[in-house]
Amino acid sequence: MLQPIRIVFFLLLGPFLLAQTSPVKGSADSHSFFVNQLTNAKDSNFIQILADYDAFIRRHPNNIIAQIERCKFIGNAYWDAYEDYNLKYEETEACIEALYEKYPLHPGVLIYRAEQLYGEERMEVLLKAEETINANHDIWSNTQLAVIYKMLGDAQEDDDDFALAYYLKAQKANDTLDLSLALAKIYRRQEQPTLAKEVLMRGLAKDTAKWILNQKANLLLKLEEPQEALKLFNSIAEKDSTFIDKNEMATVMTGLKKYGMARDFLVQDTVQEWNKTEKLQELFKHDFEYSKPEIALQTYRSLQALDSNDDFFGIKRIKIALKAPLLRWNASELIHFSYFILSIVLLFFIPYLWVLPLHSLGVLLRRTTVKIIPQLNFNWSTKHFWLISFLYLFAQYITLIVFEYESTINYFFEIGNSFLLEEGEDSKKIAATMLFYVIVMSMATLMLLKRNVLQHLYKSNLSLLRMLSLGIGFVIFNGILLRVLGTFIDLSEGNGIGTLLSAKREIMAILSGYGFIIAASSMAVIVPIYEEIIFRGIVLGSVEKQVGFVAANIFQATLFALIHFDLTLFVFYFFFGVVTGHLAKRSGGLLTGIILHAVNNFCVVLVLYYTMGYLR
């Protein structure tokens, strides 16, 4: 008896119950509800729900929200997140396009259109939205303003100042919006670590997404806040222990000087087979730095058993030996060490590839009627050219071994997901690498400065004032030359006078890490001295004895341009070499070229220094 009454009761209340559980088609996010209804009889339900939307829109033609939700329903109904594919893509695009053409100034439509676009097309819509905001601010809700300003901030990849301004506007419009990660990244790039920490700490409690929390924890590590990073990692672990990166946890523990716990995390990381070589490399680095040499050697041998190419030249084993000379070497380790010795021997003979042909050409010319009359009378011979070539290669090789050995070996032997770092590389490492190379090259050059050649360093028949004037004039001319070259080749990577120095990135790293005095001393004093001695002294002086001054000057200038490894600026460096080579002959020594080179480099360092100050 109760059952019919219940049925009648349900039929009477059904529409009201449905109204409570099903959103009005003209309300925001109604598409999400209806997408969830497509589990069974998907196609027929899709058609029915779309018909319901159309019927509602016919009754309420001015309800733009309903029209937006209709497009969103089409776009999400057949979306496969796993395959990243939308079966209704074309229909969705047609719906959005029609909506955008019909209501080009509506906030909801502008936001929805921008969300579906990328790159320049998205930026065009965002700028249109910004114009609409400026023209009619009242039609925009604070939530909508926050969305647009956030997207505008995200689009400013190359301009932190504009991005920062937009993010702050977005946060002002909606203070519940968490932009702490984006803001902290900008402040860190602008070298404001204290402000970056403050912003990040304020936003720690706002996120529940694990991947965002993980990014915040990593940024806290970079900002030297291991305690806070550990708390955040623990919070992530409570939600999902598999989400934690053991290497990141090891970094946290190392920062807290809990080296044993750090090692435990690294050991756990090596259990997985994926990228196991790289995991063992990280464990070896830790053991070499913080564990006993015996433990480091044990990890090293595990690494070698997995991939013997990891230490192809035996450099890691040499480092262990320097810490503990009495630890026994095995046969495999001795073989790899022999590869290192053979590589040095190979470096010793490589210069013969260009020295012997030049020497042979000189012998051939002397046997003919061609008479070679040296105009420089420098006391350097072909032997010195060979020796400085070997020392140059050796300096490059040793620098690579000290600073980039593992990454280079990984790259050439395809160990793990390896790559050679370029953009984003640690500026401290870049600065240290450059300074190390400058010191090694200056020491190598000093080896060739005997008493009979020292006179060429300070000899010049020009006055100091004249040499300084030539240097300043040369810098101005170089700027004009670069402008001319810029009309034929792309010099966008080195705008302005900063292009005059090939090591622009390295100089900025030295300025940032060591200051102006060290940068100016190394790049505007030491480098000009040893480069002029090598190219306008040893190379030009020795080669001139074989082929004459003109050919020798062209040869050294070509070599000078090639060693800067920038083919787009080959003409510039070649001209630089030819001019300084001519000045060596005209002035009777190297002092004029050294001063010219020093003035040029000093101007560049000075410009970069003030540029960095302006950017701060």
Side-chain angles (χ1 to χ4, degrees):
M1 188 69 184
L2 291 174
Q3 191 66 23
I5 296 175
R6 286 173 179 166
I7 293 172
V8 172
F9 186 77
F10 176 79
L11 290 173
L12 289 172
L13 293 182
F16 299 97
L17 293 172
L18 185 62
Q20 295 299 316
T21 57
S22 174
V24 176
K25 292 176 178 62
S27 61
D29 291 328
S30 65
H31 74 280
S32 299
F33 173 84
F34 291 115
V35 166
N36 291 330
Q37 308 306 306
L38 301 178
T39 53
N40 298 312
K42 187 167 188 174
D43 290 341
S44 59
N45 285 341
F46 174 79
I47 294 170
Q48 181 58 51
I49 293 170
L50 198 59
D52 290 343
Y53 264 117
D54 291 338
F56 181 87
I57 291 169
R58 281 195 296 273
R59 292 195 303 271
H60 307 87
N62 295 324
N63 192 320
I64 300 174
I65 297 299
Q67 298 177 53
I68 295 173
E69 290 300 304
R70 179 182 180 277
C71 290
K72 288 183 178 181
F73 171 72
I74 296 171
N76 287 275
Y78 286 84
W79 171 259
D80 188 330
Y82 182 77
E83 295 289 341
D84 193 22
Y85 178 71
N86 182 10
L87 189 63
K88 298 287 184 180
Y89 173 77
E90 292 182 359
E91 291 180 44
T92 306
E93 280 297 300
C95 185
I96 297 170
E97 281 289 343
L99 198 60
Y100 186 57
E101 288 180 12
K102 191 174 180 180
Y103 306 107
L105 302 180
H106 187 274
V109 174
L110 284 166
I111 290 172
Y112 182 38
R113 188 65 186 126
E115 287 172 342
Q116 308 306 311
L117 297 173
Y118 302 93
E120 293 182 2
E121 290 182 329
R122 170 182 273 201
M123 195 62 189
E124 184 179 336
V125 176
L126 289 174
L127 291 175
K128 186 174 183 179
E130 188 176 25
E131 289 178 9
T132 306
I133 292 169
N134 294 332
N136 193 359
H137 188 277
D138 294 338
I139 66 172
W140 290 78
S141 69
N142 286 337
T143 302
Q144 290 171 331
L145 289 172
V147 171
I148 287 294
Y149 286 138
K150 182 185 180 300
M151 283 197 286
L152 280 165
D154 293 340
Q156 307 298 321
E157 296 178 355
D158 301 323
D159 196 322
D160 281 342
D161 290 334
F162 274 110
L164 182 62
Y166 282 125
Y167 285 142
L168 292 176
K169 282 184 177 182
Q171 211 163 50
K172 183 179 179 182
N174 181 6
D175 57 6
T176 64
L177 187 67
D178 180 30
L179 294 173
S180 58
L181 182 62
L183 291 170
K185 285 180 178 179
I186 292 175
Y187 289 136
R188 181 173 176 264
R189 287 195 295 268
Q190 292 180 340
E191 298 184 6
Q192 300 184 66
T194 304
L195 193 53
K197 290 176 191 177
E198 290 176 1
V199 168
L200 201 56
M201 297 295 286
R202 286 200 299 267
L204 290 184
K206 289 188 177 182
D207 289 313
T208 54
K210 290 172 290 191
W211 67 277
I212 295 179
L213 290 174
N214 194 54
Q215 286 190 65
K216 288 185 175 183
N218 286 321
L219 187 54
L220 283 168
L221 286 179
K222 294 174 183 176
L223 292 169
E224 300 179 353
E225 288 289 341
Q227 291 278 10
E228 294 299 329
L230 180 58
K231 291 179 185 177
L232 207 50
F233 279 127
N234 287 334
S235 174
I236 298 169
E238 289 174 4
K239 298 177 182 180
D240 185 354
S241 60
T242 62
F243 197 82
I244 292 296
D245 189 322
K246 303 293 192 302
N247 191 30
E248 291 169 354
M249 290 301 295
T251 304
V252 175
M253 294 303 172
T254 301
L256 296 172
K257 298 183 179 180
K258 297 179 180 180
Y259 304 123
M261 294 180 69
R263 189 177 194 278
D264 290 341
F265 278 111
L266 292 172
V267 170
Q268 292 173 35
D269 222 10
T270 62
V271 174
Q272 299 178 2
E273 291 300 319
W274 185 76
N275 271 357
K276 190 168 184 175
T277 306
E278 290 184 11
K279 308 296 184 184
L280 276 171
Q281 286 177 342
E282 292 299 321
L283 179 59
F284 172 74
K285 289 176 190 175
H286 176 87
D287 284 344
F288 180 78
E289 189 72 27
Y290 303 108
S291 302
K292 293 180 180 179
E294 293 83 0
I295 296 176
L297 182 58
Q298 183 181 352
T299 304
Y300 172 82
R301 286 176 174 167
S302 298
L303 188 52
Q304 290 300 294
L306 186 62
D307 192 334
S308 62
N309 288 328
D310 164 74
D311 191 24
F312 188 78
F313 291 112
I315 302 302
K316 294 178 181 178
R317 185 62 183 88
I318 294 171
K319 290 180 178 180
I320 296 173
L322 292 174
K323 273 193 169 185
L326 298 179
L327 289 177
R328 185 176 297 177
W329 291 59
N330 63 28
S332 175
E333 292 159 9
L334 289 171
I335 290 171
H336 284 284
F337 176 69
S338 70
Y339 293 162
F340 175 65
I341 300 301
L342 286 173
S343 68
I344 299 296
V345 173
L346 181 63
L347 285 180
F348 189 82
F349 286 103
I350 285 176
Y352 283 111
L353 293 174
W354 51 84
V355 173
L356 281 179
L358 278 169
H359 178 73
S360 300
L361 180 60
V363 171
L364 181 64
L365 289 174
R366 283 192 291 272
R367 287 177 180 175
T368 63
T369 56
V370 178
K371 189 175 182 180
I372 305 297
I373 302 175
Q375 300 182 47
L376 292 171
N377 198 29
F378 288 169
N379 298 316
W380 282 295
S381 64
T382 306
K383 177 184 72 175
H384 298 104
F385 180 30
W386 167 83
L387 187 56
I388 197 63
S389 297
F390 164 70
L391 292 173
Y392 171 79
L393 293 173
F394 183 76
Q396 292 273 348
Y397 187 48
I398 291 299
T399 303
L400 182 143
I401 282 175
V402 172
F403 293 96
E404 295 291 347
Y405 174 66
E406 185 172 86
S407 61
T408 305
I409 290 292
N410 286 355
Y411 178 79
F412 283 105
F413 288 102
E414 298 182 350
I415 299 175
N417 298 320
S418 56
F419 55 91
L420 292 176
L421 293 176
E422 288 295 340
E423 293 298 323
E425 193 174 5
D426 182 12
S427 66
K428 291 182 180 178
K429 185 178 180 181
I430 294 172
T433 303
M434 188 64 187
L435 290 175
F436 178 85
Y437 175 73
V438 168
I439 291 169
V440 173
M441 277 306 301
S442 59
M443 291 173 64
T445 308
L446 283 173
M447 293 173 60
L448 301 180
L449 291 182
K450 306 298 182 182
R451 184 176 297 178
N452 63 338
V453 298
L454 285 174
Q455 58 177 321
H456 303 306
L457 294 184
Y458 55 81
K459 184 178 179 182
S460 177
N461 54 24
L462 301 176
S463 67
L464 179 61
L465 182 61
R466 180 68 185 278
M467 287 187 285
L468 289 172
S469 300
L470 280 173
I472 295 170
F474 193 51
V475 171
I476 295 171
F477 181 80
N478 284 338
I480 297 171
L481 177 61
L482 286 170
R483 285 295 184 103
V484 174
L485 288 175
T487 61
F488 301 100
I489 55 179
D490 182 17
L491 300 180
S492 58
E493 290 297 317
N495 293 325
I497 196 170
T499 312
L500 296 177
L501 203 58
S502 62
K504 179 180 178 180
R505 183 182 65 160
E506 287 80 358
I507 303 312
M508 295 188 79
I510 297 172
L511 284 168
S512 177
Y514 297 92
F516 179 78
I517 299 299
I518 298 296
S521 299
S522 58
M523 302 310 300
V525 178
I526 299 175
V527 170
I529 290 174
Y530 77 66
E531 284 193 348
E532 291 304 312
I533 291 173
I534 291 172
F535 291 98
R536 265 63 75 180
I538 298 170
V539 178
L540 182 58
S542 60
V543 175
E544 184 205 29
K545 293 180 174 66
Q546 306 297 327
V547 297
F549 177 79
V550 174
N553 198 28
I554 292 173
F555 176 80
Q556 67 82 18
T558 302
L559 202 61
F560 179 71
L562 289 174
I563 64 101
H564 285 86
F565 300 105
D566 190 345
L567 292 178
T568 59
L569 288 174
F570 179 88
V571 174
F572 167 74
Y573 289 119
F574 177 79
F575 178 78
F576 192 107
V578 167
V579 170
T580 48
H582 173 74
L583 286 172
K585 182 185 78 169
R586 181 183 173 187
S587 64
L590 300 176
L591 184 60
T592 304
I594 289 172
I595 290 179
L596 213 71
H597 203 148
V599 170
N600 179 81
N601 285 14
F602 180 78
C603 288
V604 175
V605 173
L606 194 64
V607 168
L608 291 177
Y609 175 71
Y610 280 107
T611 300
M612 288 178 65
Y614 173 77
L615 291 176
R616 289 194 191 99

